[in-house]
Amino acid sequence: MRPRPASNDPAAIPPSLLSAASQPNIDFVHPGYDGDFTSTTFLSLPRLDDGGVCFDTALAACGLIACNQWSGFFSTDKPGQLRVDRPLDGILRDRQYYYFHLPASRSAASDCSSDPPSLAPPYPITPRFSDWSFPHHDLPPHWSRLQLQTNLNIQPIIVGQRASFCVATNYSHGVDVAHCVPSNEREWWDLNRMDRYSCSSTLLFSTQPQDSPANLVPLRSDFHRVFDERHLCFVPKAVEGSDSDSVGDPLAPTTLSQRTPQAKTRLLIHVVVPSPNGQVAGLWHNRALHALPPGLSKECLFARFAYTIFSPAVFSSAFLSGATVARRLSIRDPETQIPGVRMESPANCWRILRTARSRSPRKRSAPPPGEADDDGCGAEGNGAGKENGEQEREEEGHGAIGGDYKGFGDGGYLEQEAPFDSPGSGLLAQFGPDPAYAMAEENNEEKRGRGRKRAFEATDEEVNGLRLSRLRRQRF
């Protein structure tokens, strides 16, 4: 028998794609503040589209950060006189940074200001996904034109059942059910009435509204992990030719003769955080998708795009950390949850930045609002440093084939909880008690300093053996 060569997918990546990840990002700057552009940059995107950034994607990303304003434009100067029109190939590549402007009338209207346009305050910025409001019936133009390529022969994705194949790789094994809007963003989902895009009758195995097929997409587990880390998402782009032409170098430049008016808007993979070695971008950026499952909502996909853009790795922290004057931000009131525009001091900007980055490294599913978790804390009370109902962890809640496997965390990875044990078996038998504690018990000595005997007792609710138990430490 002759062995087959070892699998080496990265070896097939063209060198041009690997080098693209090492190029400096293109920054997008707020023109309403004094100072160097580095301290007023609110968005930074990698040059992965033929040495630049897709114009439509950048415009939509800047617009959603600027409170869903789709009439904005780019310029190479702060006053906005040197306006940048959409290039013929749709790629921004000529400069290190661009200013993002809103028309004077729209900017003043969004601020509800009566000042003349020249004296109007800076347009507000939304700093976190939890503060962002979904623009119902008002998506960016290229998102509105998008028609999802679904296959009615594919079984709709249902939590609790195995997914058929990954839409990115076409693999049928090791496929997870991923959420567009993460399950730990239940509060955001409810506040923005996202249930209008789903059908409650399809929730056969779950009572969670985000488990609707409108919000579910099947992904291979390794791709799913990168998706959870918000390093990539799905974005509509204008493409030329048929789907069969979407092979080879996904970042290769096209000639003007290839950019025909018949270009179609298709959903592609878009990488926003390339790996240092360029493999993530080289393997996935601008890849076409396989047929999508029926019922998937483009509104949920757009919400995922926003969720990715508001990642601390994409939304520039310099806009908040470099603030020397108050920033005009759109933030939800912690009591009423109603978004409002207000000036925030530099100290408050630092606080907002810390809460945006405050996430638990251990993946954990959040209970529905009003229900307590295993520690007796509500959904809004899990840990310190959360603002406006943000949850501890960054990613979403789902298992590889649904929510019935409680031992799996939000990304489908097994949580390392201690199994049920009893004296003389399992963990205690394997590792044994601490010798100092055993001697103290044998001699019936009293506790001294750190010499305390620790016994472990399993909670009664876990003895049914249906899931991994949690151990409660009891000292005496």
Side-chain angles (χ1 to χ4, degrees), residues 15 110 117 134 137 154 190 194 206 209 231 237 259 268 287 312 322 357 445 473:
S110 64
F134 189 86
H137 308 295
I154 301 175
D190 291 339
M194 296 298 291
S206 175
H231 289 180
K237 297 183 180 181
R259 299 168 195 136
L268 305 179
R287 291 284 187 184
R357 288 180 169 179
E445 295 179 357
R473 174 172 294 177

Side-chain angles (χ1 to χ4, degrees), residues 362-366 374 393 405-419 468-470:
R362 179 171 178 260
K363 288 177 176 278
R364 176 177 185 170
S365 298
D374 291 335
R393 54 175 301 282
Y405 291 84
K406 302 300 183 181
F408 284 85
D410 293 349
Y413 316 123
L414 185 63
E415 294 188 0
Q416 299 300 320
E417 295 186 0
L468 297 176
S469 73
R470 205 181 278 267

Side-chain angles (χ1 to χ4, degrees), residues 363-396:
K363 288 177 176 278
R364 176 177 185 170
S365 298
E371 296 184 13
D373 64 6
D374 291 335
D375 297 322
C377 299
E380 296 183 348
N382 282 339
K386 297 190 291 276
E387 290 290 329
N388 301 335
E390 291 186 14
Q391 305 299 329
E392 281 186 358
R393 54 175 301 282
E394 177 176 306
E395 314 303 343
E396 57 185 277

Side-chain angles (χ1 to χ4, degrees), residues 221-263:
S221 58
D222 59 339
F223 186 93
H224 184 191
R225 182 167 184 172
V226 181
F227 183 75
D228 271 355
E229 292 170 347
R230 296 196 274 186
H231 289 180
L232 50 77
C233 56
F234 307 126
V235 173
K237 297 183 180 181
V239 298
E240 298 84 15
S242 63
D243 293 340
S244 60
D245 297 332
S246 301
V247 295
D249 189 339
L251 306 187
T254 55
T255 63
L256 291 178
S257 60
Q258 291 175 309
R259 299 168 195 136
T260 63
Q262 290 76 26

